Amino acid sequence: MIQFQMFDHQPERCEKYHQMLKDNLPVLEGIGSEADFEKYGDSLGWFDIDTWANEAELSAIEELAARVRRDADVFVLIGVGGSNNAARSVIEAFPECDGPEIVYAGNSLSPWAFEQVMKKISGKSVYIDCIAKNFQTLEPGSAFRVLREYLYETYGDKANERIIATGSRNSLLETICKEHGYSFVEFPQTVGGRYTAVTAVGLLPMAVAGIDIRALVKGAADMAVELKGCRDITQSAYRYAVARNLYYNEGYRMEMLASFEPQLHWFYKWWIQLFAESEGKEDQGLYPISGEYSEELHSVGQFLQD
């Protein structure tokens, strides 16, 4: 399990940190309360792993993923931000998995970037998954329309069997699926996009790629039990949150996540989105950046040391 440790060369700041841990315990004790859900209910659904990654959900995801894995050479994940970052952080960390090639679209308006997507899928057996909570974002919407047209040109009436859409219930995307016979996967309305790793949004692409999603869900569930069961100053997430608030209140405005593991490249992207989108509003929050060591240890690392 993850453990958080804080190191600071100023003893008085360490003392302040330990005092903040004690003073803010009521906040930790109130997490997940009725008041929390009244205020943030539209985005706290990720707290409940059993709702969106239970046996029925996992079986349905695995069944759909098995069909794609059996027939596809390429699986195009159409999404931007929360609709692809979590899945991509896992998939790209395990390139040795045996699923079809995962190609990412809908995250750029660059004609060159989209041309690269079309080159990768040309002459191959293609399935697509358009992930859009409300289907109102420009990038995935435009990519979906172009790729859908390509599938109809290539497969004719059979194209609808190769199109998956992940969206909210009663959204335009669900209506399109019903009209054309596409596979529809639910994007939980109560889960913010950047938190959807352990829902069908993230789990379906992972399963197609060959990731053991049951092991991933079990790890997430085990961590949830540990965090929910510990409501004192030793809880790692709480200690991290208090440290970030301490430095923010003292005028610090940047936070850097760094490691020596290249497999975490896309995890950094997801982490940056989690903090920037969650906190970076109304001139609040730390500005999140990442460092990929050892390469950047010899550039950004030296800047930080100086």
Side-chain angles (χ1 to χ4, degrees):
M1 292 296 180
I2 296 173
Q3 293 185 344
F4 178 81
Q5 294 183 332
M6 175 177 162
F7 300 92
D8 193 296
H9 66 281
Q10 295 187 18
E12 61 274 17
R13 187 179 289 141
C14 292
E15 292 176 8
K16 186 182 293 187
Y17 169 65
H18 288 291
Q19 188 60 48
M20 285 181 67
L21 285 173
K22 298 175 183 177
D23 293 343
N24 289 280
L25 264 178
V27 176
L28 175 64
E29 294 165 352
I31 289 176
S33 65
E34 185 175 334
D36 259 4
F37 278 90
E38 286 181 3
K39 189 173 183 179
Y40 306 108
D42 61 341
S43 62
L44 288 181
W46 61 275
F47 265 75
D48 189 1
I49 294 174
D50 288 339
T51 299
W52 302 111
N54 55 43
E55 178 60 35
E57 289 286 329
L58 290 176
S59 295
I61 291 169
E62 289 172 332
E63 182 179 349
L64 180 55
R67 176 162 65 87
V68 178
R69 285 169 57 81
R70 182 179 63 248
D71 298 337
D73 300 318
V74 176
F75 182 69
V76 184
L77 196 167
I78 304 170
V80 64
S83 295
N84 73 357
N85 274 340
R88 192 171 193 175
S89 70
V90 176
I91 293 168
E92 298 298 318
F94 299 98
E96 68 277 7
C97 287
D98 62 352
E101 180 183 5
I102 309 297
V103 173
Y104 301 90
N107 54 358
S108 173
L109 292 176
S110 161
W112 177 87
F114 200 81
E115 183 182 11
Q116 305 314 302
V117 171
M118 301 309 292
K119 286 181 178 178
K120 287 181 179 180
I121 69 175
S122 178
K124 298 177 181 177
S125 177
V126 181
Y127 276 68
I128 68 173
D129 179 12
C130 180
I131 304 175
K133 190 169 189 178
N134 297 309
F135 202 48
Q136 296 175 344
T137 306
L138 175 61
E139 295 88 350
S142 58
F144 173 66
R145 288 168 174 85
V146 174
L147 286 163
R148 182 174 65 165
E149 182 178 353
Y150 170 82
L151 290 180
Y152 276 108
E153 290 175 351
T154 305
Y155 303 104
D157 293 340
K158 295 291 186 180
N160 62 344
E161 300 174 4
R162 295 171 173 268
I163 298 173
I164 303 166
T166 302
S168 299
R169 291 292 179 187
N170 303 314
S171 66
L172 174 60
L173 205 51
E174 184 180 22
T175 300
I176 292 172
C177 288
K178 289 179 178 179
E179 289 177 353
H180 298 280
Y182 307 151
S183 296
F184 178 77
V185 177
E186 184 174 1
F187 192 130
Q189 189 64 47
T190 59
V191 180
R194 57 199 178 277
Y195 307 120
T196 53
V198 194
T199 71
V201 176
L203 294 175
L204 176 59
M206 292 180 205
V208 170
I211 302 295
D212 184 348
I213 61 171
R214 289 181 180 269
L216 184 144
V217 168
K218 183 180 184 305
D222 289 346
M223 178 56 79
V225 169
E226 177 170 310
L227 293 178
K228 290 178 181 179
C230 181
R231 297 296 176 105
D232 59 41
I233 63 173
T234 65
Q235 201 228 63
S236 294
Y238 174 65
R239 294 175 68 84
Y240 179 35
V242 170
R244 297 179 81 253
N245 275 271
L246 168 64
Y247 287 108
Y248 180 80
N249 291 335
E250 293 203 358
Y252 289 84
R253 288 297 177 265
M254 300 181 75
E255 178 179 17
M256 181 174 179
L257 174 69
S259 82
F260 291 83
E261 180 48 68
Q263 284 180 281
L264 295 179
H265 172 82
W266 289 102
F267 177 80
Y268 301 142
K269 299 288 188 181
W270 181 34
W271 176 83
I272 288 172
Q273 186 199 4
L274 282 169
F275 282 99
E277 189 174 350
S278 298
E279 297 184 335
K281 299 176 176 69
E282 300 177 3
D283 194 30
Q284 296 181 354
L286 296 166
Y287 182 79
I289 59 174
S290 63
E292 296 187 46
Y293 295 166
S294 292
E295 185 70 32
E296 292 179 350
L297 186 63
H298 296 268
S299 55
V300 178
Q302 292 182 10
F303 178 91
L304 292 174
Q305 291 174 34
D306 287 345

